[in-house]
Amino acid sequence: MAEFENQENNADNDLLITQLCESHSIAHQENPELINFLALIFLKFRKNDFHSANERLGHYITWRRQIFGNLSEQSLENNEHLRNQIQSLFLTVLPNSMPNGEGILYLELRRHNTSIYSAEDTLKTWHYLIMRALRKDPELAKSGFYVTGNLTNISYYNLDIQIPHAVTHA
């Protein structure tokens, strides 16, 4: 019986994903893999509430085009700036999670160089790492992320007061 319910829930979920993709057909044509994935993520995040997930997906698409200019995948291969910021290890997603399932974003601010990386660069790095973590474990969409870090040996050189605004308004 439980097996049948899981199959039924999967079929319902697949239908909702299809409907979300159809609601954002232009974006889906531009990057079907991304929109399919995000439809799943927003459904998980919004506990299968179609209207809420649809609204969140629309906001994401608008934000993504505003910040990135398009819906193309972020890639370390063709973006040296992003690759270097990731390699600096100022921000990482730890391999373990919190007991309640939250992913852990770890900040090492002394590794952040604000003379090289703008707030927008840093926001794109956060985005890349969170998307990569969600692809590995879509259940993180339900539990979210816990942000912690090491503030030892930081200076004004490592701080950018624009970053909190950029992240909270993303």
Side-chain angles (χ1 to χ4, degrees):
M1 183 76 166
E3 214 174 288
F4 175 74
E5 287 175 10
N6 284 340
Q7 289 174 349
E8 188 174 301
N9 288 339
N10 287 340
D12 290 344
N13 206 31
D14 289 346
L15 178 61
L16 289 173
I17 289 171
T18 299
Q19 290 172 340
L20 279 172
C21 292
E22 289 171 356
S23 292
H24 301 279
S25 60
I26 294 171
H28 191 261
Q29 288 172 4
E30 188 176 335
N31 190 335
E33 182 184 335
L34 176 67
I35 300 304
N36 286 337
F37 172 70
L38 290 171
L40 169 68
I41 292 302
F42 286 121
L43 282 169
K44 284 182 178 294
F45 177 58
R46 295 300 186 181
K47 298 180 175 90
N48 282 345
D49 178 334
F50 176 83
H51 296 294
S52 182
N54 192 36
E55 183 179 341
R56 295 305 317 151
L57 181 55
H59 289 309
Y60 174 84
I61 291 167
T62 300
W63 172 84
R64 178 73 182 254
R65 285 191 171 126
Q66 178 184 8
I67 298 298
F68 291 86
N70 59 49
L71 299 177
S72 298
E73 286 296 318
Q74 281 183 287
S75 169
L76 295 180
E77 291 175 18
N78 61 9
N79 189 332
E80 184 179 355
H81 206 59
L82 175 64
R83 184 174 55 250
N84 289 341
Q85 194 169 24
I86 296 284
Q87 289 172 348
S88 76
L89 298 176
F90 97 93
L91 179 67
T92 56
V93 177
L94 298 182
N96 299 326
S97 58
M98 299 295 289
N100 64 356
E102 292 173 320
I104 304 170
L105 284 169
Y106 183 77
L107 285 162
E108 185 83 38
L109 280 180
R110 68 185 167 88
R111 296 176 183 260
H112 189 242
N113 186 339
T114 59
S115 67
I116 297 174
Y117 304 108
S118 69
E120 187 173 295
D121 294 332
T122 301
L123 178 63
K124 289 177 180 181
T125 299
W126 280 66
H127 177 268
Y128 176 84
L129 289 170
I130 288 171
M131 290 294 284
R132 189 172 70 184
L134 286 168
R135 287 187 188 280
K136 287 182 183 176
D137 183 4
E139 293 301 311
L140 288 171
K142 290 180 188 177
S143 53
F145 291 86
Y146 176 82
V147 180
T148 188
N150 181 352
L151 301 179
T152 305
N153 297 325
I154 65 168
S155 68
Y156 288 115
Y157 167 82
N158 305 112
L159 302 175
D160 182 344
I161 61 170
Q162 300 299 318
I163 292 172
H165 177 77
V167 171
T168 59
H169 288 85

